[in-house]
């Protein structure tokens, strides 16, 4: 290996302000964490409802470990299909109001398994330009033609679909809540277009699951689109505080993915203790309208105050609140100064976001107090 070339590339990243390094957390996830030995207020976690360290979820995992052990031992098609997996899937299907569900070991594995299973080199996938990287990688693996439409631009999507009217198989795929911008997809309009042009629709509800909708199942529920979206994918590692992902849809979809999705077929099953923990999280989410209400109130307060202070929060309408900085080194410097004041807010830079759109990415939790929010705002005022 030519380490000189690697070091040269790393130096270029440093010069551009896009070099990354790991920080170490030595505490449970929460509104406060121990980061590199220092207690800080945490505004960088996707643990929206504060469930990652919830006693009920930990208890469910421990009890499952006592009963089932730690590892699943094999893929689910060999001998790794265990009771907690099937119970979780049944409960997810009820929660998402679909016929069926299939659990994957991570969100990345779900997107890189579902899309190649459904699409091939004779297909076309239409994706929002700001879709998550795992969606893009899933499309690349499928060998389908990728057509990216400008972010949330329904008119552009309509024009593309009109020109693809004779294509045999078409799929529109979008995040429902965009992970770096905090805005929502125009999903109702996308579903209407898909019907008109005989396209399938797949959504990634990773940042909407547990957050949006009356029972917290996501944007599909909130907009009354249940039964109109072909594939609902989402993760159990954010608002649910656990780990893993799901694909919800018809029973035929589930059977098809079991037989065709390589990232499901060729990997060891999720540890049963995590499946059991996710079942406990589902119950809390279903009963947790007070948590969602507090989360959204916190987000609205913080966003309104930031706007009043003159910050650009882009088009955020969710607990993901970006502060647009544009310049990568400046975003990194601001993140560093916040950390010096005991507040952890991660700087997000290219290639995660487009060039010239570096930002601070704030994520709010239901467990943040009014004092936490005001402390952050007071520090930002004097940066």
């Amino acid at each position: 290996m030519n380490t000189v070339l690697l070091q040269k590339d790393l130096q270029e990243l440093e010069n551009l302000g896009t070099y990354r390094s790991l920080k170490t957390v030595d505490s449970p996830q929460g509104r406060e964490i121990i980061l590199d030995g220092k207690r800080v207020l945490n505004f960088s976690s996707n643990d929206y409802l504060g469930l990652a360290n919830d006693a009920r979820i930990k208890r469910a995992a421990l009890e499952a470990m006592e009963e089932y052990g730690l590892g699943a031992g094999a893929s689910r098609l060999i001998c790794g299909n265990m009771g907690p997996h099937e119970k979780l899937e049944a409960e997810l299907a009820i929660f998402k109001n679909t016929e069926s569900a299939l659990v994957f070991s991570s969100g990345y594995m779900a997107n890189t398994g579902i899309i190649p299973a459904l699409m091939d080199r004779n297909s076309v996938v239409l994706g929002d330009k700001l879709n998550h990287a795992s969606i893009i990688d899933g499309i690349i693996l499928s060998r389908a033609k990728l057509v990216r439409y400008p972010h949330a631009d329904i008119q552009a999507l309509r024009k593309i679909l009109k020109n693809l009217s004779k294509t045999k198989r078409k799929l529109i795929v979008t995040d429902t809540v965009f992970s770096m911008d905090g805005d929502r997809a125009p999903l109702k309009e996308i579903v209407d277009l898909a019907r008109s042009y005989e396209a399938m629709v797949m959504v990634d509800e990773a940042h909407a699951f547990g957050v949006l909708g009356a029972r917290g199942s996501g944007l599909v529920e909130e907009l009354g689109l249940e039964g109109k979206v072909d594939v609902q994918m989402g993760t159990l590692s954010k608002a649910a505080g656990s780990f893993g992902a799901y694909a919800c849809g018809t029973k035929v979809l589930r059977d098809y993915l079991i037989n065709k999705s390589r990232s499901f077929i060729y990997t060891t099953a999720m540890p049963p203790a995590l499946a059991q923990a996710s079942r406990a999280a589902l119950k809390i989410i279903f009963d947790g309208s007070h948590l969602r209400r507090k989360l959204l109130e916190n987000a609205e307060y913080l966003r309104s105050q930031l706007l009043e202070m003159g910050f650009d929060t882009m088009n955020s309408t969710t607990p993901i609140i970006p502060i647009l900085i544009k310049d990568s080194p400046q975003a990194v410097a601001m993140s560093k100064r916040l950390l010096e004041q005991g507040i952890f807010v991660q700087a997000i830079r290219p290639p995660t976001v487009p060039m010239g759109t570096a930002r601070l990415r704030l994520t709010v939790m239901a467990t943040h107090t009014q004092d936490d929010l005001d402390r952050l705002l007071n520090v930002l005022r004097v940066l």
Side-chain angles (χ1 to χ4, degrees):
M1 180 180 291
N2 190 333
T3 57
V4 174
L5 287 177
L6 298 184
Q7 191 59 52
K8 183 180 177 182
D9 286 348
L10 288 173
Q11 185 60 54
E12 181 64 22
L13 293 177
E14 219 167 332
N15 295 341
L16 292 170
T18 59
Y19 180 83
R20 291 163 170 78
S21 59
L22 295 173
K23 293 179 172 64
T24 304
V25 176
D26 281 314
S27 66
Q29 290 292 329
R31 50 175 283 278
E32 284 190 327
I33 55 174
I34 306 297
L35 185 71
D36 288 342
K38 179 181 180 180
R39 182 172 293 279
V40 296
L41 195 54
N42 183 13
F43 280 95
S44 289
S45 175
N46 297 323
D47 181 24
Y48 299 115
L49 302 180
L51 298 184
N53 192 39
D54 187 278
R56 294 163 291 183
I57 294 176
K58 291 191 292 185
R59 190 181 312 116
L62 289 169
E63 289 173 358
M65 253 190 284
E66 288 294 329
E67 185 174 357
Y68 295 99
L70 180 57
S75 71
R76 288 182 64 188
L77 284 170
I78 305 297
C79 68
N81 187 43
M82 304 177 78
H85 300 129
E86 296 202 334
K87 290 174 183 174
L88 173 59
E89 288 168 345
E91 290 166 9
L92 275 166
I94 292 169
F95 186 67
K96 295 289 288 182
N97 198 19
T98 57
E99 283 184 7
S100 205
L102 186 67
V103 167
F104 288 77
S105 293
S106 74
Y108 190 93
M109 291 178 71
N111 280 333
T112 56
I114 296 167
I115 299 171
L118 295 175
M119 311 303 282
D120 59 25
R121 64 175 73 246
N122 298 312
S123 310
V124 176
V125 181
L126 299 92
D128 190 291
K129 195 169 184 179
L130 297 187
N131 275 344
H132 191 268
S134 60
I135 295 174
I136 302 301
D137 290 354
I139 298 168
I140 291 169
L141 286 170
S142 76
R143 300 182 182 179
K145 180 181 178 181
L146 167 60
V147 182
R148 300 173 78 186
Y149 58 89
H151 178 50
D153 189 332
I154 290 298
Q155 297 309 317
L157 179 58
R158 178 182 284 108
K159 185 177 180 181
I160 294 166
L161 282 165
K162 188 175 181 180
N163 292 332
L164 294 173
S165 58
K166 295 181 181 179
T167 302
K168 182 179 179 182
R169 186 178 294 190
K170 302 182 285 291
L171 173 69
I172 305 170
V173 58
T174 182
D175 288 345
T176 54
V177 171
F178 291 88
S179 61
M180 294 298 128
D181 291 53
D183 59 342
R184 309 177 194 207
L187 192 56
K188 187 179 184 306
E189 292 83 356
I190 288 172
V191 168
D192 289 343
L193 278 179
R195 281 186 166 186
S196 298
Y197 291 95
E198 299 181 343
M200 294 183 290
V201 177
M202 174 179 167
V203 297
D204 183 334
E205 293 259 59
H207 293 274
F209 183 80
V211 174
L212 301 180
R215 65 178 183 275
S217 79
L219 187 63
V220 171
E221 179 211 348
E222 182 173 273
L223 296 178
L225 297 173
E226 292 160 314
K228 298 179 181 179
V229 174
D230 299 281
V231 186
Q232 294 187 54
M233 172 272 171
T235 59
L236 301 163
S237 56
K238 297 175 177 65
S242 182
F243 194 70
Y246 61 80
C248 288
T250 63
K251 185 180 182 302
V252 170
L253 174 68
R254 182 180 191 273
D255 292 343
Y256 191 85
L257 293 176
I258 288 171
N259 284 276
K260 291 284 191 176
S261 176
R262 293 171 67 86
S263 66
F264 175 85
I265 297 167
Y266 298 110
T267 193
T268 300
M270 173 196 295
L274 287 178
Q276 205 75 337
S278 294
R279 292 183 65 205
L282 267 185
K283 186 177 187 312
I284 295 169
I285 290 170
F286 186 77
D287 296 336
S289 59
H290 63 290
L291 288 173
R292 284 188 293 284
R293 186 164 53 251
K294 176 63 174 171
L295 172 66
L296 297 175
E297 285 173 359
N298 281 350
E300 182 55 35
Y301 173 76
L302 185 58
R303 184 167 40 247
S304 65
Q305 292 298 303
L306 289 169
L307 288 168
E308 195 173 300
M309 291 161 59
F311 287 109
D312 184 350
T313 61
M314 304 177 73
N315 294 312
S316 168
T317 60
T318 69
I320 300 167
I321 307 175
I323 297 177
L324 183 63
I325 306 299
K326 297 184 180 179
D327 180 70
S328 291
Q330 185 181 351
V332 172
M334 289 181 70
S335 175
K336 184 179 179 181
R337 292 201 296 275
L338 282 163
L339 192 57
E340 289 168 355
Q341 297 298 315
I343 299 175
F344 179 43
V345 177
Q346 189 65 277
I348 306 296
R349 298 150 285 161
T352 305
V353 293
M355 289 296 293
T357 68
R359 67 202 65 180
L360 297 176
R361 178 185 182 267
L362 303 171
T363 49
V364 186
M365 298 170 62
T367 48
H368 281 132
T369 67
Q370 186 68 44
D371 286 346
D372 294 338
L373 302 177
D374 288 337
R375 180 179 163 196
L376 168 64
L377 289 166
N378 288 335
V379 173
L380 285 169
R381 280 190 181 94
V382 297
L383 276 188

